[in-house]
Amino acid sequence: MTQIAVTLNSRPNTPPPDETLRFGTVFTDHMFMMEYDDGRGWHDPRIVPYQNFSLDPATCVLHYAQAVFDGLKAFRGADGVIRLFRPSAHAARLNRSCAGLCIPELDPALVQESLRALIEIDQRWVPSKPGTALYVRPTVIATETFLGVHPSSSYLYYVILSPVGAYYAEGMNPVKILAMDNHVRAVPGGIGAIKAAANYAASLHGAEEAARAGFTQVLWLDGVQHRYLDEVGTMNIMLRIGDEVITPPLNGAILAGVTRDSVLTLLKSWGIKVAERPVAIDEVLAAASRGALTEMWGTGTAAVISPVGELGYRDARVTINGGRIGELTQRLYDAIVGIQYGTAPDPFGWTTPLTQRVPMPA
Ligand code: COI
């Protein structure tokens, strides 16, 4: 059986008080690392004190962005149990991201066990205040030293942990999003459907422009016609028009969000009509002007369920549900959070208690 070697941090830090937590600013005492080399495969899985890397300035990830990551959360329930939310779905998505950037696949059982074993060691860092969680960031970077453009022959897989509060400064209060047709995040056939670090770099310019116009995030439109809703970059988007919930389909440019999938599963189980179909910005504005656009929200691991209170597009400004959290948005938030913190039953088997070890291959 693959063994994970452990070197404990001899100078552990004190976790900050839960009420001071923001998103992704504080890191725990340990990290997981494992290398890949052509001809040898993935090797030396280990947990070590949180530390800096030393990289040659010519390391290819620094030049050509052959890097992918994923993000999931562990929650400390009111019963004291720490639960990971859908770790197998995240491990599977990490491997899809690797495949998309020619990175050799990881053993999904080893990925899951790397997350579990690391969180177990740093479990005192899992916050308990409602709305907080331990954010888990598995990452793979290309480490070969070269300046030609081709897939690297060596990689580093590592996992870091960060106790977090709400992703947006607004918390659970509605955010403002701006649909832009002068910037593009991704196109079908590109890498928009995977968690490639480069997708986030591609989003920065538009995000800055949106922030200058007073918006929290960009609502990306499709990269070909600049007409159909894609996603928000940090979350998938859903709208309620009449009695139906509509979300853009997984068209090859949109990330297959794990929270997106969880929400669609919940909605269907509640008997609510759901359509995964292309939705044009004109259709959204028309629905808003006849009063049929009653709710809009984003879904994501970091963002959870994030209500949208205002939508901008060119000169149009639409206030949704009077800028307040919608009834279905709140119901979804409560349902997801209830499962995550163990205060509601988990009918879909989405949570894994930390105590459940993952059987690993030889
Ligand atoms: C997540 O929700 O985990 C994300 O990856 C979004 C973001 C913070 C980049």
Side-chain angles (χ1 to χ4, degrees):
M1 196 157 109
T2 311
Q3 289 293 333
I4 298 175
V6 176
T7 307
L8 291 179
N9 191 330
S10 57
R11 297 170 61 193
N13 281 317
T14 305
D18 289 1
E19 51 283 1
T20 63
L21 294 174
R22 294 185 291 130
F23 185 85
T25 54
V26 175
F27 300 95
T28 67
D29 292 321
H30 298 90
M31 63 195 290
F32 181 95
M33 297 175 76
M34 173 167 73
E35 286 84 6
Y36 173 95
D37 289 285
D38 271 359
R40 203 173 159 197
W42 289 104
H43 59 89
D44 290 329
R46 61 199 184 279
I47 291 172
V48 294
Y50 191 94
Q51 59 194 261
N52 290 348
F53 300 139
S54 169
L55 293 176
D56 187 292
T59 303
C60 56
V61 69
L62 303 175
H63 300 268
Y64 307 126
Q66 198 190 0
V68 296
F69 68 91
D70 215 280
L72 65 156
K73 280 177 172 170
F75 300 85
R76 189 184 296 280
D79 54 2
V81 175
I82 296 173
R83 296 176 177 82
L84 273 82
F85 191 68
R86 306 195 66 180
S88 58
H90 285 280
R93 189 172 66 183
L94 181 66
N95 262 333
R96 291 199 301 277
S97 298
C98 285
L101 285 195
C102 303
I103 296 172
E105 193 175 325
L106 293 132
D107 182 329
L110 180 54
V111 170
Q112 282 192 70
E113 184 55 15
S114 71
L115 311 176
R116 197 207 60 77
L118 180 63
I119 299 167
E120 185 172 51
I121 286 183
D122 276 344
Q123 58 182 277
R124 71 195 178 91
W125 287 82
V126 183
S128 58
K129 187 173 177 276
T132 64
L134 187 73
Y135 186 76
V136 183
R137 175 52 69 85
T139 307
V140 188
I141 58 170
T143 53
E144 190 180 340
T145 301
F146 73 97
L147 290 183
V149 179
H150 63 79
S152 177
S153 61
S154 62
Y155 297 88
L156 171 65
Y157 165 71
Y158 66 92
V159 186
I160 54 174
L161 307 175
S162 175
V164 297
Y167 183 73
Y168 296 119
E170 289 90 336
M172 180 55 185
N173 293 321
V175 294
K176 296 179 177 190
I177 59 176
L178 178 65
M180 296 183 113
D181 50 14
N182 58 334
H183 290 278
V184 166
R185 172 187 172 272
V187 288
I191 57 171
I194 62 170
K195 274 185 102 64
N199 286 328
Y200 297 82
S203 74
L204 295 177
H205 214 277
E208 284 290 286
E209 205 172 302
R212 277 197 298 276
F215 290 86
T216 323
Q217 291 277 307
V218 177
L219 171 57
W220 297 101
L221 299 180
D222 78 277
V224 179
Q225 297 185 59
H226 311 290
R227 193 169 157 227
Y228 294 96
L229 275 50
D230 262 1
E231 58 152 88
V232 177
T234 49
M235 50 189 196
N236 294 108
I237 193 76
M238 297 190 181
L239 354 88
R240 182 179 181 182
I241 297 183
D243 63 354
E244 189 178 50
V245 172
I246 306 166
T247 196
L250 301 177
N251 61 3
I254 295 176
L255 188 77
V258 174
T259 312
R260 174 187 184 278
D261 177 75
S262 308
V263 163
L264 294 180
T265 304
L266 280 171
L267 289 169
K268 288 173 193 164
S269 77
W270 295 342
I272 291 173
K273 244 184 4 188
V274 173
E276 291 179 68
R277 65 160 172 87
V279 51
I281 187 71
D282 319 331
E283 177 187 346
V284 179
L285 297 178
S289 64
R290 61 173 198 277
L293 175 67
T294 48
E295 297 184 55
M296 192 165 185
W297 63 88
T299 64
T301 296
V304 197
I305 305 290
S306 189
V308 176
E310 187 178 319
L311 169 67
Y313 177 63
R314 296 185 179 160
D315 294 332
R317 297 288 177 269
V318 171
T319 302
I320 301 154
N321 194 37
R324 293 182 310 271
I325 302 173
E327 162 236 321
L328 191 53
T329 311
Q330 186 70 55
R331 184 175 173 201
L332 284 166
Y333 178 86
D334 293 342
I336 293 268
V337 162
I339 294 172
Q340 290 174 331
Y341 289 93
T343 55
D346 177 11
F348 307 103
W350 286 335
T351 59
T352 304
L354 190 60
T355 44
Q356 199 171 306
R357 282 175 196 275
V358 185
M360 285 207 291

mmCIF file with all atom_site columns, all heavy atoms in Angstrom, residues 23 69-72 90 93 135 137 167 195 200 233-235 255 300-303, ligand 1:
data_model
loop_
_atom_site.group_PDB
_atom_site.id
_atom_site.type_symbol
_atom_site.label_atom_id
_atom_site.label_alt_id
_atom_site.label_comp_id
_atom_site.label_asym_id
_atom_site.label_entity_id
_atom_site.label_seq_id
_atom_site.pdbx_PDB_ins_code
_atom_site.Cartn_x
_atom_site.Cartn_y
_atom_site.Cartn_z
_atom_site.occupancy
_atom_site.B_iso_or_equiv
_atom_site.pdbx_formal_charge
_atom_site.auth_seq_id
_atom_site.auth_comp_id
_atom_site.auth_asym_id
_atom_site.auth_atom_id
_atom_site.pdbx_PDB_model_num
ATOM   1   N N   . PHE A 1 23  ? -11.105 35.193 2.901   1.00 0.00 ? 23  PHE A N   1
ATOM   2   C CA  . PHE A 1 23  ? -10.877 34.053 1.993   1.00 0.00 ? 23  PHE A CA  1
ATOM   3   C C   . PHE A 1 23  ? -9.410  33.952 1.580   1.00 0.00 ? 23  PHE A C   1
ATOM   4   O O   . PHE A 1 23  ? -8.889  34.880 0.941   1.00 0.00 ? 23  PHE A O   1
ATOM   5   C CB  . PHE A 1 23  ? -11.761 34.146 0.741   1.00 0.00 ? 23  PHE A CB  1
ATOM   6   C CG  . PHE A 1 23  ? -11.613 32.925 -0.114  1.00 0.00 ? 23  PHE A CG  1
ATOM   7   C CD1 . PHE A 1 23  ? -12.366 31.787 0.141   1.00 0.00 ? 23  PHE A CD1 1
ATOM   8   C CD2 . PHE A 1 23  ? -10.670 32.870 -1.134  1.00 0.00 ? 23  PHE A CD2 1
ATOM   9   C CE1 . PHE A 1 23  ? -12.197 30.633 -0.603  1.00 0.00 ? 23  PHE A CE1 1
ATOM   10  C CE2 . PHE A 1 23  ? -10.486 31.720 -1.890  1.00 0.00 ? 23  PHE A CE2 1
ATOM   11  C CZ  . PHE A 1 23  ? -11.261 30.597 -1.623  1.00 0.00 ? 23  PHE A CZ  1
ATOM   12  N N   . PHE A 1 69  ? -5.672  23.331 -10.793 1.00 0.00 ? 69  PHE A N   1
ATOM   13  C CA  . PHE A 1 69  ? -5.952  23.205 -9.359  1.00 0.00 ? 69  PHE A CA  1
ATOM   14  C C   . PHE A 1 69  ? -7.397  22.790 -9.174  1.00 0.00 ? 69  PHE A C   1
ATOM   15  O O   . PHE A 1 69  ? -8.174  22.690 -10.129 1.00 0.00 ? 69  PHE A O   1
ATOM   16  C CB  . PHE A 1 69  ? -5.637  24.514 -8.632  1.00 0.00 ? 69  PHE A CB  1
ATOM   17  C CG  . PHE A 1 69  ? -6.557  25.663 -8.971  1.00 0.00 ? 69  PHE A CG  1
ATOM   18  C CD1 . PHE A 1 69  ? -7.695  25.902 -8.234  1.00 0.00 ? 69  PHE A CD1 1
ATOM   19  C CD2 . PHE A 1 69  ? -6.282  26.499 -10.049 1.00 0.00 ? 69  PHE A CD2 1
ATOM   20  C CE1 . PHE A 1 69  ? -8.552  26.955 -8.540  1.00 0.00 ? 69  PHE A CE1 1
ATOM   21  C CE2 . PHE A 1 69  ? -7.131  27.556 -10.364 1.00 0.00 ? 69  PHE A CE2 1
ATOM   22  C CZ  . PHE A 1 69  ? -8.267  27.775 -9.609  1.00 0.00 ? 69  PHE A CZ  1
ATOM   23  N N   . ASP A 1 70  ? -7.767  22.526 -7.944  1.00 0.00 ? 70  ASP A N   1
ATOM   24  C CA  . ASP A 1 70  ? -9.163  22.326 -7.616  1.00 0.00 ? 70  ASP A CA  1
ATOM   25  C C   . ASP A 1 70  ? -9.403  22.995 -6.256  1.00 0.00 ? 70  ASP A C   1
ATOM   26  O O   . ASP A 1 70  ? -8.463  23.553 -5.669  1.00 0.00 ? 70  ASP A O   1
ATOM   27  C CB  . ASP A 1 70  ? -9.555  20.845 -7.604  1.00 0.00 ? 70  ASP A CB  1
ATOM   28  C CG  . ASP A 1 70  ? -10.978 20.669 -8.119  1.00 0.00 ? 70  ASP A CG  1
ATOM   29  O OD1 . ASP A 1 70  ? -11.920 20.909 -7.323  1.00 0.00 ? 70  ASP A OD1 1
ATOM   30  O OD2 . ASP A 1 70  ? -11.172 20.363 -9.298  1.00 0.00 ? 70  ASP A OD2 1
ATOM   31  N N   . GLY A 1 71  ? -10.627 23.018 -5.808  1.00 0.00 ? 71  GLY A N   1
ATOM   32  C CA  . GLY A 1 71  ? -10.925 23.651 -4.519  1.00 0.00 ? 71  GLY A CA  1
ATOM   33  C C   . GLY A 1 71  ? -12.102 22.939 -3.894  1.00 0.00 ? 71  GLY A C   1
ATOM   34  O O   . GLY A 1 71  ? -13.123 22.743 -4.547  1.00 0.00 ? 71  GLY A O   1
ATOM   35  N N   . LEU A 1 72  ? -11.931 22.489 -2.667  1.00 0.00 ? 72  LEU A N   1
ATOM   36  C CA  . LEU A 1 72  ? -13.058 21.878 -1.949  1.00 0.00 ? 72  LEU A CA  1
ATOM   37  C C   . LEU A 1 72  ? -12.995 22.332 -0.510  1.00 0.00 ? 72  LEU A C   1
ATOM   38  O O   . LEU A 1 72  ? -12.073 23.061 -0.125  1.00 0.00 ? 72  LEU A O   1
ATOM   39  C CB  . LEU A 1 72  ? -13.035 20.356 -2.076  1.00 0.00 ? 72  LEU A CB  1
ATOM   40  C CG  . LEU A 1 72  ? -11.904 19.546 -1.460  1.00 0.00 ? 72  LEU A CG  1
ATOM   41  C CD1 . LEU A 1 72  ? -12.381 18.123 -1.207  1.00 0.00 ? 72  LEU A CD1 1
ATOM   42  C CD2 . LEU A 1 72  ? -10.703 19.519 -2.381  1.00 0.00 ? 72  LEU A CD2 1
ATOM   43  N N   . HIS A 1 90  ? -14.314 16.052 -6.619  1.00 0.00 ? 90  HIS A N   1
ATOM   44  C CA  . HIS A 1 90  ? -13.213 17.001 -6.828  1.00 0.00 ? 90  HIS A CA  1
ATOM   45  C C   . HIS A 1 90  ? -11.965 16.294 -7.343  1.00 0.00 ? 90  HIS A C   1
ATOM   46  O O   . HIS A 1 90  ? -11.242 16.827 -8.200  1.00 0.00 ? 90  HIS A O   1
ATOM   47  C CB  . HIS A 1 90  ? -12.934 17.765 -5.537  1.00 0.00 ? 90  HIS A CB  1
ATOM   48  C CG  . HIS A 1 90  ? -13.967 18.809 -5.253  1.00 0.00 ? 90  HIS A CG  1
ATOM   49  N ND1 . HIS A 1 90  ? -13.965 20.047 -5.863  1.00 0.00 ? 90  HIS A ND1 1
ATOM   50  C CD2 . HIS A 1 90  ? -15.071 18.789 -4.454  1.00 0.00 ? 90  HIS A CD2 1
ATOM   51  C CE1 . HIS A 1 90  ? -15.008 20.746 -5.438  1.00 0.00 ? 90  HIS A CE1 1
ATOM   52  N NE2 . HIS A 1 90  ? -15.697 20.011 -4.589  1.00 0.00 ? 90  HIS A NE2 1
ATOM   53  N N   . ARG A 1 93  ? -12.466 15.648 -10.948 1.00 0.00 ? 93  ARG A N   1
ATOM   54  C CA  . ARG A 1 93  ? -12.337 16.863 -11.762 1.00 0.00 ? 93  ARG A CA  1
ATOM   55  C C   . ARG A 1 93  ? -10.878 17.297 -11.887 1.00 0.00 ? 93  ARG A C   1
ATOM   56  O O   . ARG A 1 93  ? -10.441 17.766 -12.947 1.00 0.00 ? 93  ARG A O   1
ATOM   57  C CB  . ARG A 1 93  ? -13.178 17.996 -11.174 1.00 0.00 ? 93  ARG A CB  1
ATOM   58  C CG  . ARG A 1 93  ? -13.245 19.186 -12.104 1.00 0.00 ? 93  ARG A CG  1
ATOM   59  C CD  . ARG A 1 93  ? -14.202 20.237 -11.652 1.00 0.00 ? 93  ARG A CD  1
ATOM   60  N NE  . ARG A 1 93  ? -13.768 20.857 -10.415 1.00 0.00 ? 93  ARG A NE  1
ATOM   61  C CZ  . ARG A 1 93  ? -14.466 21.782 -9.761  1.00 0.00 ? 93  ARG A CZ  1
ATOM   62  N NH1 . ARG A 1 93  ? -15.646 22.159 -10.216 1.00 0.00 ? 93  ARG A NH1 1
ATOM   63  N NH2 . ARG A 1 93  ? -14.021 22.320 -8.650  1.00 0.00 ? 93  ARG A NH2 1
ATOM   64  N N   . TYR A 1 135 ? -10.736 25.569 3.555   1.00 0.00 ? 135 TYR A N   1
ATOM   65  C CA  . TYR A 1 135 ? -10.663 25.473 2.094   1.00 0.00 ? 135 TYR A CA  1
ATOM   66  C C   . TYR A 1 135 ? -9.417  24.657 1.730   1.00 0.00 ? 135 TYR A C   1
ATOM   67  O O   . TYR A 1 135 ? -8.332  24.881 2.269   1.00 0.00 ? 135 TYR A O   1
ATOM   68  C CB  . TYR A 1 135 ? -10.578 26.877 1.486   1.00 0.00 ? 135 TYR A CB  1
ATOM   69  C CG  . TYR A 1 135 ? -10.633 26.883 -0.024  1.00 0.00 ? 135 TYR A CG  1
ATOM   70  C CD1 . TYR A 1 135 ? -11.836 26.692 -0.700  1.00 0.00 ? 135 TYR A CD1 1
ATOM   71  C CD2 . TYR A 1 135 ? -9.482  27.080 -0.773  1.00 0.00 ? 135 TYR A CD2 1
ATOM   72  C CE1 . TYR A 1 135 ? -11.885 26.699 -2.086  1.00 0.00 ? 135 TYR A CE1 1
ATOM   73  C CE2 . TYR A 1 135 ? -9.523  27.093 -2.153  1.00 0.00 ? 135 TYR A CE2 1
ATOM   74  C CZ  . TYR A 1 135 ? -10.736 26.899 -2.807  1.00 0.00 ? 135 TYR A CZ  1
ATOM   75  O OH  . TYR A 1 135 ? -10.776 26.907 -4.180  1.00 0.00 ? 135 TYR A OH  1
ATOM   76  N N   . ARG A 1 137 ? -6.896  23.246 -1.256  1.00 0.00 ? 137 ARG A N   1
ATOM   77  C CA  . ARG A 1 137 ? -6.466  23.633 -2.595  1.00 0.00 ? 137 ARG A CA  1
ATOM   78  C C   . ARG A 1 137 ? -5.407  22.646 -3.134  1.00 0.00 ? 137 ARG A C   1
ATOM   79  O O   . ARG A 1 137 ? -4.210  22.830 -2.943  1.00 0.00 ? 137 ARG A O   1
ATOM   80  C CB  . ARG A 1 137 ? -5.920  25.058 -2.530  1.00 0.00 ? 137 ARG A CB  1
ATOM   81  C CG  . ARG A 1 137 ? -5.308  25.639 -3.795  1.00 0.00 ? 137 ARG A CG  1
ATOM   82  C CD  . ARG A 1 137 ? -6.160  25.551 -5.021  1.00 0.00 ? 137 ARG A CD  1
ATOM   83  N NE  . ARG A 1 137 ? -7.356  26.374 -5.058  1.00 0.00 ? 137 ARG A NE  1
ATOM   84  C CZ  . ARG A 1 137 ? -7.433  27.643 -5.434  1.00 0.00 ? 137 ARG A CZ  1
ATOM   85  N NH1 . ARG A 1 137 ? -6.358  28.298 -5.793  1.00 0.00 ? 137 ARG A NH1 1
ATOM   86  N NH2 . ARG A 1 137 ? -8.601  28.254 -5.475  1.00 0.00 ? 137 ARG A NH2 1
ATOM   87  N N   . TYR A 1 167 ? -16.395 34.196 0.669   1.00 0.00 ? 167 TYR A N   1
ATOM   88  C CA  . TYR A 1 167 ? -15.523 34.581 -0.450  1.00 0.00 ? 167 TYR A CA  1
ATOM   89  C C   . TYR A 1 167 ? -15.688 36.057 -0.801  1.00 0.00 ? 167 TYR A C   1
ATOM   90  O O   . TYR A 1 167 ? -14.726 36.777 -1.015  1.00 0.00 ? 167 TYR A O   1
ATOM   91  C CB  . TYR A 1 167 ? -15.832 33.714 -1.680  1.00 0.00 ? 167 TYR A CB  1
ATOM   92  C CG  . TYR A 1 167 ? -14.913 34.030 -2.824  1.00 0.00 ? 167 TYR A CG  1
ATOM   93  C CD1 . TYR A 1 167 ? -13.590 33.622 -2.801  1.00 0.00 ? 167 TYR A CD1 1
ATOM   94  C CD2 . TYR A 1 167 ? -15.359 34.766 -3.917  1.00 0.00 ? 167 TYR A CD2 1
ATOM   95  C CE1 . TYR A 1 167 ? -12.722 33.941 -3.837  1.00 0.00 ? 167 TYR A CE1 1
ATOM   96  C CE2 . TYR A 1 167 ? -14.490 35.085 -4.955  1.00 0.00 ? 167 TYR A CE2 1
ATOM   97  C CZ  . TYR A 1 167 ? -13.182 34.669 -4.912  1.00 0.00 ? 167 TYR A CZ  1
ATOM   98  O OH  . TYR A 1 167 ? -12.323 34.986 -5.933  1.00 0.00 ? 167 TYR A OH  1
ATOM   99  N N   . LYS A 1 195 ? -10.108 23.448 -14.581 1.00 0.00 ? 195 LYS A N   1
ATOM   100 C CA  . LYS A 1 195 ? -9.598  24.445 -13.634 1.00 0.00 ? 195 LYS A CA  1
ATOM   101 C C   . LYS A 1 195 ? -8.116  24.688 -13.912 1.00 0.00 ? 195 LYS A C   1
ATOM   102 O O   . LYS A 1 195 ? -7.228  24.267 -13.158 1.00 0.00 ? 195 LYS A O   1
ATOM   103 C CB  . LYS A 1 195 ? -9.849  24.002 -12.188 1.00 0.00 ? 195 LYS A CB  1
ATOM   104 C CG  . LYS A 1 195 ? -11.243 24.429 -11.716 1.00 0.00 ? 195 LYS A CG  1
ATOM   105 C CD  . LYS A 1 195 ? -11.528 24.152 -10.279 1.00 0.00 ? 195 LYS A CD  1
ATOM   106 C CE  . LYS A 1 195 ? -11.428 25.371 -9.392  1.00 0.00 ? 195 LYS A CE  1
ATOM   107 N NZ  . LYS A 1 195 ? -12.400 26.428 -9.670  1.00 0.00 ? 195 LYS A NZ  1
ATOM   108 N N   . TYR A 1 200 ? -7.975  31.866 -14.930 1.00 0.00 ? 200 TYR A N   1
ATOM   109 C CA  . TYR A 1 200 ? -8.177  32.921 -13.936 1.00 0.00 ? 200 TYR A CA  1
ATOM   110 C C   . TYR A 1 200 ? -7.354  34.148 -14.320 1.00 0.00 ? 200 TYR A C   1
ATOM   111 O O   . TYR A 1 200 ? -7.792  35.285 -14.118 1.00 0.00 ? 200 TYR A O   1
ATOM   112 C CB  . TYR A 1 200 ? -7.865  32.366 -12.530 1.00 0.00 ? 200 TYR A CB  1
ATOM   113 C CG  . TYR A 1 200 ? -8.850  31.250 -12.219 1.00 0.00 ? 200 TYR A CG  1
ATOM   114 C CD1 . TYR A 1 200 ? -8.658  29.949 -12.683 1.00 0.00 ? 200 TYR A CD1 1
ATOM   115 C CD2 . TYR A 1 200 ? -10.044 31.530 -11.562 1.00 0.00 ? 200 TYR A CD2 1
ATOM   116 C CE1 . TYR A 1 200 ? -9.601  28.953 -12.480 1.00 0.00 ? 200 TYR A CE1 1
ATOM   117 C CE2 . TYR A 1 200 ? -10.993 30.538 -11.346 1.00 0.00 ? 200 TYR A CE2 1
ATOM   118 C CZ  . TYR A 1 200 ? -10.774 29.257 -11.806 1.00 0.00 ? 200 TYR A CZ  1
ATOM   119 O OH  . TYR A 1 200 ? -11.721 28.283 -11.614 1.00 0.00 ? 200 TYR A OH  1
ATOM   120 N N   . GLY A 1 233 ? -16.886 32.824 -13.488 1.00 0.00 ? 233 GLY A N   1
ATOM   121 C CA  . GLY A 1 233 ? -15.436 32.707 -13.279 1.00 0.00 ? 233 GLY A CA  1
ATOM   122 C C   . GLY A 1 233 ? -15.125 32.113 -11.919 1.00 0.00 ? 233 GLY A C   1
ATOM   123 O O   . GLY A 1 233 ? -14.349 31.178 -11.817 1.00 0.00 ? 233 GLY A O   1
ATOM   124 N N   . THR A 1 234 ? -15.758 32.652 -10.878 1.00 0.00 ? 234 THR A N   1
ATOM   125 C CA  . THR A 1 234 ? -15.617 32.037 -9.549  1.00 0.00 ? 234 THR A CA  1
ATOM   126 C C   . THR A 1 234 ? -16.868 31.250 -9.197  1.00 0.00 ? 234 THR A C   1
ATOM   127 O O   . THR A 1 234 ? -16.953 30.674 -8.112  1.00 0.00 ? 234 THR A O   1
ATOM   128 C CB  . THR A 1 234 ? -15.393 33.106 -8.469  1.00 0.00 ? 234 THR A CB  1
ATOM   129 O OG1 . THR A 1 234 ? -16.397 34.106 -8.645  1.00 0.00 ? 234 THR A OG1 1
ATOM   130 C CG2 . THR A 1 234 ? -14.025 33.730 -8.582  1.00 0.00 ? 234 THR A CG2 1
ATOM   131 N N   . MET A 1 235 ? -17.844 31.241 -10.086 1.00 0.00 ? 235 MET A N   1
ATOM   132 C CA  . MET A 1 235 ? -19.063 30.469 -9.833  1.00 0.00 ? 235 MET A CA  1
ATOM   133 C C   . MET A 1 235 ? -19.868 30.265 -11.119 1.00 0.00 ? 235 MET A C   1
ATOM   134 O O   . MET A 1 235 ? -19.746 31.034 -12.068 1.00 0.00 ? 235 MET A O   1
ATOM   135 C CB  . MET A 1 235 ? -19.924 31.124 -8.736  1.00 0.00 ? 235 MET A CB  1
ATOM   136 C CG  . MET A 1 235 ? -20.211 32.595 -8.914  1.00 0.00 ? 235 MET A CG  1
ATOM   137 S SD  . MET A 1 235 ? -20.993 33.292 -7.440  1.00 0.00 ? 235 MET A SD  1
ATOM   138 C CE  . MET A 1 235 ? -21.635 34.823 -8.125  1.00 0.00 ? 235 MET A CE  1
ATOM   139 N N   . LEU A 1 255 ? -17.003 25.710 -16.519 1.00 0.00 ? 255 LEU A N   1
ATOM   140 C CA  . LEU A 1 255 ? -16.537 24.727 -15.538 1.00 0.00 ? 255 LEU A CA  1
ATOM   141 C C   . LEU A 1 255 ? -17.715 23.890 -15.026 1.00 0.00 ? 255 LEU A C   1
ATOM   142 O O   . LEU A 1 255 ? -18.781 24.435 -14.725 1.00 0.00 ? 255 LEU A O   1
ATOM   143 C CB  . LEU A 1 255 ? -15.878 25.443 -14.352 1.00 0.00 ? 255 LEU A CB  1
ATOM   144 C CG  . LEU A 1 255 ? -15.196 24.477 -13.397 1.00 0.00 ? 255 LEU A CG  1
ATOM   145 C CD1 . LEU A 1 255 ? -13.866 24.001 -13.966 1.00 0.00 ? 255 LEU A CD1 1
ATOM   146 C CD2 . LEU A 1 255 ? -15.011 25.077 -12.026 1.00 0.00 ? 255 LEU A CD2 1
ATOM   147 N N   . GLY A 1 300 ? -20.793 27.867 -6.264  1.00 0.00 ? 300 GLY A N   1
ATOM   148 C CA  . GLY A 1 300 ? -19.364 27.546 -6.326  1.00 0.00 ? 300 GLY A CA  1
ATOM   149 C C   . GLY A 1 300 ? -18.890 27.064 -4.971  1.00 0.00 ? 300 GLY A C   1
ATOM   150 O O   . GLY A 1 300 ? -19.552 27.312 -3.960  1.00 0.00 ? 300 GLY A O   1
ATOM   151 N N   . THR A 1 301 ? -17.743 26.412 -4.955  1.00 0.00 ? 301 THR A N   1
ATOM   152 C CA  . THR A 1 301 ? -17.224 25.935 -3.667  1.00 0.00 ? 301 THR A CA  1
ATOM   153 C C   . THR A 1 301 ? -16.900 27.114 -2.768  1.00 0.00 ? 301 THR A C   1
ATOM   154 O O   . THR A 1 301 ? -17.322 27.167 -1.612  1.00 0.00 ? 301 THR A O   1
ATOM   155 C CB  . THR A 1 301 ? -15.970 25.071 -3.893  1.00 0.00 ? 301 THR A CB  1
ATOM   156 O OG1 . THR A 1 301 ? -16.367 23.913 -4.625  1.00 0.00 ? 301 THR A OG1 1
ATOM   157 C CG2 . THR A 1 301 ? -15.342 24.653 -2.576  1.00 0.00 ? 301 THR A CG2 1
ATOM   158 N N   . ALA A 1 302 ? -16.164 28.073 -3.295  1.00 0.00 ? 302 ALA A N   1
ATOM   159 C CA  . ALA A 1 302 ? -15.795 29.230 -2.486  1.00 0.00 ? 302 ALA A CA  1
ATOM   160 C C   . ALA A 1 302 ? -17.017 30.105 -2.227  1.00 0.00 ? 302 ALA A C   1
ATOM   161 O O   . ALA A 1 302 ? -17.254 30.565 -1.110  1.00 0.00 ? 302 ALA A O   1
ATOM   162 C CB  . ALA A 1 302 ? -14.701 30.025 -3.181  1.00 0.00 ? 302 ALA A CB  1
ATOM   163 N N   . ALA A 1 303 ? -17.814 30.326 -3.259  1.00 0.00 ? 303 ALA A N   1
ATOM   164 C CA  . ALA A 1 303 ? -18.948 31.263 -3.160  1.00 0.00 ? 303 ALA A CA  1
ATOM   165 C C   . ALA A 1 303 ? -20.197 30.625 -2.534  1.00 0.00 ? 303 ALA A C   1
ATOM   166 O O   . ALA A 1 303 ? -21.124 31.335 -2.168  1.00 0.00 ? 303 ALA A O   1
ATOM   167 C CB  . ALA A 1 303 ? -19.288 31.792 -4.543  1.00 0.00 ? 303 ALA A CB  1
HETATM 168 C C1  . COI B 2 .   ? -13.596 27.586 -5.922  1.00 0.00 ? 1   COI B C1  1
HETATM 169 O O1  . COI B 2 .   ? -14.767 27.901 -5.756  1.00 0.00 ? 1   COI B O1  1
HETATM 170 O O2  . COI B 2 .   ? -13.055 26.667 -5.289  1.00 0.00 ? 1   COI B O2  1
HETATM 171 C C2  . COI B 2 .   ? -12.768 28.278 -6.879  1.00 0.00 ? 1   COI B C2  1
HETATM 172 O O3  . COI B 2 .   ? -11.857 27.689 -7.362  1.00 0.00 ? 1   COI B O3  1
HETATM 173 C C3  . COI B 2 .   ? -13.062 29.665 -7.190  1.00 0.00 ? 1   COI B C3  1
HETATM 174 C C4  . COI B 2 .   ? -11.952 30.595 -6.922  1.00 0.00 ? 1   COI B C4  1
HETATM 175 C C5  . COI B 2 .   ? -11.674 30.993 -5.547  1.00 0.00 ? 1   COI B C5  1
HETATM 176 C C6  . COI B 2 .   ? -10.845 30.612 -7.859  1.00 0.00 ? 1   COI B C6  1
#
